[in-house]
Amino acid sequence: LSLRDPVSATPVTQLKVLSFNIWVQGGLSLSNCIEVIRTSGADIAGLQECNALTAQTIATSLGFHVLPANDCTIVSRYPILASYVAGNSRGVTVELSPGQRVHLFNCHLTPFPYGPYYLHDGRSVDYVINQENQLRLPEVNAALSVMQPLLAGADPCFFTGDFNAPSHLDYAALPWPTSIACTNAGLTDSYRELHPSNRTFPPQFAYNDPGITWTPKTSQEPYGVFDRIDFVYYSKGDGAAPLTSTELDERNSVNPWPSDHRAVLSLFSLTPPTPIDKASRPEPAADATNVVLNPLLSWLPG
């Protein structure tokens, strides 16, 4: 049995979730990346291009818990009960208050070959979709497969990441496979849900169009191809509902902006679980398998 930091007995009713590609260990300034997270008020952040050492530096500076990894790390204001590996993606179970848990997975999909460049060069939609099906869809499915038992449960689930592919919701006639897979798994794109009137492709998006995350630094995009490729998904019907969702850059956050990606910050309202007469919702659950030998135990008090 492992000791852990005590959690507040007061249920959490709002949660800020951040997805942030920090551009190879902090881009122009790791300290500015830390300030982005700090000033955003994020409670849980999925970080991409962030190795274990950098993640530990960030977590220590913020006073956060951390799941270190080679690329897809997670930092959390709240204690981490469990962690998951799904290919290159990583996941955590976080305890917000006794018996109140959420799950977050974080991914960084293969960057090249990049579908929007092939569209820009005149390749067919079929060609691009076939490429996505072979390259990025298996990576997303690996994460969704591990998430599936959690998605089937009652706890809110979140999926953050740099998907290196746009969303079918942003395109009038291109069913991007990775975003469709997330939708089919029961996940909802928090940003697009709150901004349903944003225009769709074509024509090509501009770097400062609403929601665009690649890239705020036009010097990093040689072909003038800009898209929304960073996401915060959530599981609908599990007590989480998005209140706000916005992209962050130097216009509304730290200036100068340290990364070649904009971050995405979504604020959710949470409906805490209702206690019954006796203790319930144990974690790990009864008959659970593949549990670490020193699990952090939690339950909803009676």
Side-chain angles (χ1 to χ4, degrees), residues 56-68:
Q56 187 61 64
T57 300
I58 292 171
T60 299
S61 178
L62 296 172
F64 275 22
H65 304 267
V66 60
L67 175 66

PDB file of all heavy atoms in Angstrom, residues 56-68:
ATOM      1  N   GLN A  56       9.465  16.819 -15.640  1.00  0.00           N
ATOM      2  CA  GLN A  56       9.730  16.921 -14.211  1.00  0.00           C
ATOM      3  C   GLN A  56      10.041  18.363 -13.823  1.00  0.00           C
ATOM      4  O   GLN A  56       9.604  18.845 -12.765  1.00  0.00           O
ATOM      5  CB  GLN A  56      10.886  16.007 -13.819  1.00  0.00           C
ATOM      6  CG  GLN A  56      11.108  15.921 -12.319  1.00  0.00           C
ATOM      7  CD  GLN A  56       9.901  15.357 -11.591  1.00  0.00           C
ATOM      8  OE1 GLN A  56       9.519  14.211 -11.794  1.00  0.00           O
ATOM      9  NE2 GLN A  56       9.281  16.170 -10.746  1.00  0.00           N
ATOM     10  N   THR A  57      10.791  19.066 -14.671  1.00  0.00           N
ATOM     11  CA  THR A  57      11.092  20.478 -14.415  1.00  0.00           C
ATOM     12  C   THR A  57       9.817  21.299 -14.367  1.00  0.00           C
ATOM     13  O   THR A  57       9.627  22.142 -13.482  1.00  0.00           O
ATOM     14  CB  THR A  57      12.030  21.026 -15.500  1.00  0.00           C
ATOM     15  OG1 THR A  57      13.252  20.291 -15.494  1.00  0.00           O
ATOM     16  CG2 THR A  57      12.319  22.506 -15.282  1.00  0.00           C
ATOM     17  N   ILE A  58       8.920  21.047 -15.311  1.00  0.00           N
ATOM     18  CA  ILE A  58       7.650  21.772 -15.359  1.00  0.00           C
ATOM     19  C   ILE A  58       6.824  21.469 -14.116  1.00  0.00           C
ATOM     20  O   ILE A  58       6.290  22.376 -13.461  1.00  0.00           O
ATOM     21  CB  ILE A  58       6.868  21.400 -16.637  1.00  0.00           C
ATOM     22  CG1 ILE A  58       7.601  21.930 -17.877  1.00  0.00           C
ATOM     23  CG2 ILE A  58       5.442  21.947 -16.587  1.00  0.00           C
ATOM     24  CD1 ILE A  58       7.026  21.425 -19.191  1.00  0.00           C
ATOM     25  N   ALA A  59       6.704  20.196 -13.777  1.00  0.00           N
ATOM     26  CA  ALA A  59       5.879  19.799 -12.642  1.00  0.00           C
ATOM     27  C   ALA A  59       6.426  20.369 -11.338  1.00  0.00           C
ATOM     28  O   ALA A  59       5.662  20.849 -10.485  1.00  0.00           O
ATOM     29  CB  ALA A  59       5.796  18.278 -12.577  1.00  0.00           C
ATOM     30  N   THR A  60       7.734  20.322 -11.177  1.00  0.00           N
ATOM     31  CA  THR A  60       8.343  20.860  -9.962  1.00  0.00           C
ATOM     32  C   THR A  60       8.072  22.348  -9.830  1.00  0.00           C
ATOM     33  O   THR A  60       7.744  22.843  -8.745  1.00  0.00           O
ATOM     34  CB  THR A  60       9.851  20.586  -9.960  1.00  0.00           C
ATOM     35  OG1 THR A  60      10.081  19.169  -9.997  1.00  0.00           O
ATOM     36  CG2 THR A  60      10.518  21.184  -8.728  1.00  0.00           C
ATOM     37  N   SER A  61       8.199  23.069 -10.940  1.00  0.00           N
ATOM     38  CA  SER A  61       7.963  24.509 -10.915  1.00  0.00           C
ATOM     39  C   SER A  61       6.524  24.845 -10.557  1.00  0.00           C
ATOM     40  O   SER A  61       6.254  25.822  -9.845  1.00  0.00           O
ATOM     41  CB  SER A  61       8.315  25.117 -12.277  1.00  0.00           C
ATOM     42  OG  SER A  61       8.054  26.503 -12.305  1.00  0.00           O
ATOM     43  N   LEU A  62       5.585  24.017 -11.022  1.00  0.00           N
ATOM     44  CA  LEU A  62       4.166  24.280 -10.786  1.00  0.00           C
ATOM     45  C   LEU A  62       3.654  23.654  -9.489  1.00  0.00           C
ATOM     46  O   LEU A  62       2.539  23.967  -9.054  1.00  0.00           O
ATOM     47  CB  LEU A  62       3.342  23.740 -11.952  1.00  0.00           C
ATOM     48  CG  LEU A  62       3.569  24.387 -13.319  1.00  0.00           C
ATOM     49  CD1 LEU A  62       2.836  23.607 -14.402  1.00  0.00           C
ATOM     50  CD2 LEU A  62       3.113  25.839 -13.306  1.00  0.00           C
ATOM     51  N   GLY A  63       4.446  22.753  -8.905  1.00  0.00           N
ATOM     52  CA  GLY A  63       3.957  22.004  -7.759  1.00  0.00           C
ATOM     53  C   GLY A  63       2.938  20.953  -8.154  1.00  0.00           C
ATOM     54  O   GLY A  63       2.031  20.623  -7.385  1.00  0.00           O
ATOM     55  N   PHE A  64       3.093  20.396  -9.378  1.00  0.00           N
ATOM     56  CA  PHE A  64       2.147  19.434  -9.935  1.00  0.00           C
ATOM     57  C   PHE A  64       2.691  18.011  -9.809  1.00  0.00           C
ATOM     58  O   PHE A  64       3.875  17.782  -9.608  1.00  0.00           O
ATOM     59  CB  PHE A  64       1.899  19.735 -11.414  1.00  0.00           C
ATOM     60  CG  PHE A  64       0.841  20.782 -11.681  1.00  0.00           C
ATOM     61  CD1 PHE A  64       0.477  21.716 -10.717  1.00  0.00           C
ATOM     62  CD2 PHE A  64       0.219  20.854 -12.918  1.00  0.00           C
ATOM     63  CE1 PHE A  64      -0.485  22.676 -10.968  1.00  0.00           C
ATOM     64  CE2 PHE A  64      -0.740  21.804 -13.183  1.00  0.00           C
ATOM     65  CZ  PHE A  64      -1.108  22.716 -12.207  1.00  0.00           C
ATOM     66  N   HIS A  65       1.792  17.054  -9.974  1.00  0.00           N
ATOM     67  CA  HIS A  65       2.154  15.660 -10.163  1.00  0.00           C
ATOM     68  C   HIS A  65       2.486  15.461 -11.637  1.00  0.00           C
ATOM     69  O   HIS A  65       2.055  16.230 -12.505  1.00  0.00           O
ATOM     70  CB  HIS A  65       0.998  14.755  -9.734  1.00  0.00           C
ATOM     71  CG  HIS A  65       0.563  14.986  -8.317  1.00  0.00           C
ATOM     72  ND1 HIS A  65       1.048  14.266  -7.252  1.00  0.00           N
ATOM     73  CD2 HIS A  65      -0.311  15.887  -7.794  1.00  0.00           C
ATOM     74  CE1 HIS A  65       0.501  14.693  -6.137  1.00  0.00           C
ATOM     75  NE2 HIS A  65      -0.340  15.681  -6.428  1.00  0.00           N
ATOM     76  N   VAL A  66       3.232  14.391 -11.948  1.00  0.00           N
ATOM     77  CA  VAL A  66       3.701  14.229 -13.318  1.00  0.00           C
ATOM     78  C   VAL A  66       3.725  12.764 -13.726  1.00  0.00           C
ATOM     79  O   VAL A  66       4.037  11.883 -12.922  1.00  0.00           O
ATOM     80  CB  VAL A  66       5.111  14.845 -13.498  1.00  0.00           C
ATOM     81  CG1 VAL A  66       6.130  14.179 -12.570  1.00  0.00           C
ATOM     82  CG2 VAL A  66       5.567  14.784 -14.945  1.00  0.00           C
ATOM     83  N   LEU A  67       3.352  12.518 -14.972  1.00  0.00           N
ATOM     84  CA  LEU A  67       3.605  11.246 -15.638  1.00  0.00           C
ATOM     85  C   LEU A  67       4.643  11.524 -16.711  1.00  0.00           C
ATOM     86  O   LEU A  67       4.321  12.073 -17.766  1.00  0.00           O
ATOM     87  CB  LEU A  67       2.336  10.682 -16.274  1.00  0.00           C
ATOM     88  CG  LEU A  67       2.568   9.411 -17.102  1.00  0.00           C
ATOM     89  CD1 LEU A  67       2.998   8.245 -16.222  1.00  0.00           C
ATOM     90  CD2 LEU A  67       1.332   9.036 -17.912  1.00  0.00           C
ATOM     91  N   PRO A  68       5.909  11.188 -16.466  1.00  0.00           N
ATOM     92  CA  PRO A  68       6.949  11.464 -17.460  1.00  0.00           C
ATOM     93  C   PRO A  68       6.926  10.445 -18.585  1.00  0.00           C
ATOM     94  O   PRO A  68       6.509   9.302 -18.408  1.00  0.00           O
ATOM     95  CB  PRO A  68       8.237  11.364 -16.641  1.00  0.00           C
ATOM     96  CG  PRO A  68       7.905  10.398 -15.552  1.00  0.00           C
ATOM     97  CD  PRO A  68       6.444  10.580 -15.243  1.00  0.00           C
TER      98      PRO A  68
END
